[in-house]
Amino acid sequence: MRFFASALIFGLLIPSALIAQDNTLTPQEVEQGWILLWDGKTEYGWEWHGDARWKIEDGVLKSDGGGYGWLGTTSSFGDFELSLEFRTPADGNSGVFLRSARRGEPHQTGYELQIFNRQPQGYNTGSLVFYVKAQPAQFIGGQWNRYHVRAVGSRFVVRLNDREVLDASDSSHAAGVIGLQYNEDKPIEFRNIKLRPLGLAPLFNGQDLSGWQKVDRPNRDDVHEWSVRDGILHVEKGAGQLETMKEFENLVLQLAIKTNPPSADHHPNSGVFFRGEKGVFWSGYESQIRNEFRNDDRSQPHDFGTGGLYFYVPARRVIPNDGEFFHKTVVAYERHLAVWINGIQTADWEDPRPPGNNARRQARLAPGVISLQAHDPTTNLDFKDIRASELAER
């Protein structure tokens, strides 16, 4: 009874907007750069490995049958915070893979964060198996447990149910996918799987265009006007682009964007380009900005839609509204490209084409600039909080 009273009082003190429902993010988490690795409904952004049978029931991702296997993200990450919840019986044996390769044995190509209270060699719950042993810790069988992992460079800090159980360093693996393990006859459940990329450096100082250069459309005298006010980068008119001086190959990019429509029936059209050729107009891959859709649930965007990869993958759903800042995350690692809007994944694509410099016709794997597009004379957009990092080699 005391517990119920305390929980009730605690709940009354916290605004509901600050408490995320299962498999969602709060507005504050979106602002901080968190993304959902699992949307709570589908396997989008994940791939099966091995013989485990995975299923989704009532907002829970689970496996309780088949042989050994694991479910891995298609996207790779380097430095990050990872938060997730898991539930398994007291004799459960599972794990969370960190920085693993998409092919091969994930506990060898990356790290396995242990979920097993009695591992024969002492790499018990909270340990990085065969790398670093955790302090004595046990998950609670049959109940939801929470892991929080902070991985920055070679340092790993792991908390189990809000208690720190590991703070250690190992430099064997620098980047890779996140994975969920199933061992035969050891049922396991997961939910609330979310990640925040770390180590991103500002590309925009909020004061001027230092670090950027304006690129005009060839053989045209179109005007595109860029200005900075109150920490916001503003553009009107076009066509043209503003591109970074710095180039990135495997990258994580995050930024906030607001489209300012001239009328209720006009949706500004723009894009964020990456791996572009320096000084070359509208080159590289384009993550589109266009908040126009064809049906009420927004699952059929006009053209490729905000969060889609123009020419290649339409957005799964148009999420933002014109006139409101939304947050975009782009992850490009080798041939794999992914986009999140307000923390929800909207694009996931593996470029199958032969390599080359022209991303419209080839897989561009070389480093390139990031650019912001001024599409046409009706362009009117704001950008802020632009930051990026180069993902390390595995």
Side-chain angles (χ1 to χ4, degrees), residues 12-308:
L12 292 173
L13 293 176
I14 299 180
S16 60
L18 299 179
I19 304 174
Q21 301 298 311
D22 285 340
N23 308 308
T24 64
L25 299 173
T26 65
Q28 289 79 7
E29 288 174 320
V30 172
E31 289 269 353
Q32 293 166 359
W34 286 89
I35 59 176
L36 287 174
L37 292 187
W38 183 52
D39 63 15
K41 300 176 182 178
T42 72
E43 295 172 10
Y44 193 80
W46 294 79
E47 55 189 354
W48 290 37
H49 305 269
D51 298 322
R53 295 196 298 267
W54 295 91
K55 54 188 175 181
I56 297 167
E57 293 179 354
D58 300 323
V60 174
L61 180 60
K62 62 175 65 176
S63 184
D64 57 9
Y68 169 82
W70 61 290
L71 196 65
T73 60
T74 53
S75 295
S76 295
F77 303 94
D79 293 348
F80 56 80
E81 283 185 80
L82 172 69
S83 178
L84 59 81
E85 296 178 356
F86 66 90
R87 182 167 64 183
T88 189
D91 64 347
N93 180 358
S94 182
V96 179
F97 299 118
L98 311 172
R99 295 179 177 171
S100 296
R102 294 172 68 183
R103 303 293 177 264
E105 293 296 332
H107 66 285
Q108 296 175 351
T109 65
Y111 301 98
E112 179 186 348
L113 175 60
Q114 184 69 279
I115 300 175
F116 187 18
N117 286 338
R118 295 179 179 82
Q119 202 270 351
Q121 292 157 287
Y123 291 94
N124 297 327
T125 298
S127 300
L128 300 179
V129 180
F130 303 133
Y131 290 98
V132 183
K133 293 181 179 179
Q135 300 174 24
Q138 292 194 349
F139 65 81
I140 304 170
Q143 298 185 24
W144 286 108
N145 296 263
R146 179 173 179 263
Y147 260 144
H148 180 276
V149 182
R150 185 178 177 89
V152 178
S154 62
R155 186 180 178 192
F156 292 82
V157 178
V158 177
R159 300 182 68 86
L160 173 67
N161 297 329
D162 296 322
R163 174 182 162 234
E164 186 176 300
V165 297
L166 184 143
D167 184 346
S169 294
D170 185 273
S171 58
S172 301
H173 311 287
V177 302
I178 306 299
L180 311 174
Q181 183 191 61
Y182 170 75
N183 281 307
E184 192 170 2
D185 298 326
K186 299 293 182 181
I188 183 70
E189 299 175 308
F190 295 95
R191 68 180 185 186
N192 295 327
I193 310 168
K194 54 190 175 182
L195 180 145
R196 179 163 74 122
L198 299 177
L200 282 67
L203 299 180
F204 170 54
N205 63 18
Q207 300 175 346
D208 54 39
L209 299 181
S210 297
W212 297 78
Q213 68 176 4
K214 185 178 175 182
V215 178
D216 296 321
R217 187 171 185 173
N219 305 316
R220 294 278 294 272
D221 57 359
D222 303 74
V223 176
H224 47 118
E225 300 175 354
W226 299 84
S227 60
V228 179
R229 185 175 63 186
D230 299 328
I232 293 174
L233 175 60
H234 180 74
V235 61
E236 294 184 22
K237 306 178 182 178
Q241 72 190 38
L242 191 69
E243 70 179 28
T244 59
M245 301 288 193
K246 187 174 181 180
E247 295 183 289
F248 298 85
E249 181 180 352
N250 297 320
L251 84 157
V252 179
L253 168 67
Q254 293 190 314
L255 71 165
I257 306 165
K258 178 161 70 78
T259 55
N260 304 303
S263 63
D265 60 352
H266 181 85
H267 300 272
N269 185 1
S270 184
V272 177
F273 290 80
F274 53 98
R275 288 189 190 162
E277 295 183 72
K278 187 179 290 290
V280 177
F281 185 73
W282 293 2
S283 66
Y285 297 100
E286 178 187 355
S287 173
Q288 194 175 41
I289 301 169
R290 190 168 186 177
N291 299 335
E292 189 172 357
F293 46 90
R294 298 183 187 277
N295 59 5
D296 290 340
D297 68 2
R298 300 186 173 215
S299 62
Q300 293 181 12
H302 177 88
D303 209 352
F304 283 80
T306 293

Side-chain angles (χ1 to χ4, degrees), residues 345-362:
Q345 191 167 4
T346 55
D348 187 80
W349 187 58
E350 190 89 8
D351 193 336
R353 301 169 300 172
N357 286 330
N358 189 333
R360 292 286 171 93
R361 296 194 295 266
Q362 301 157 317

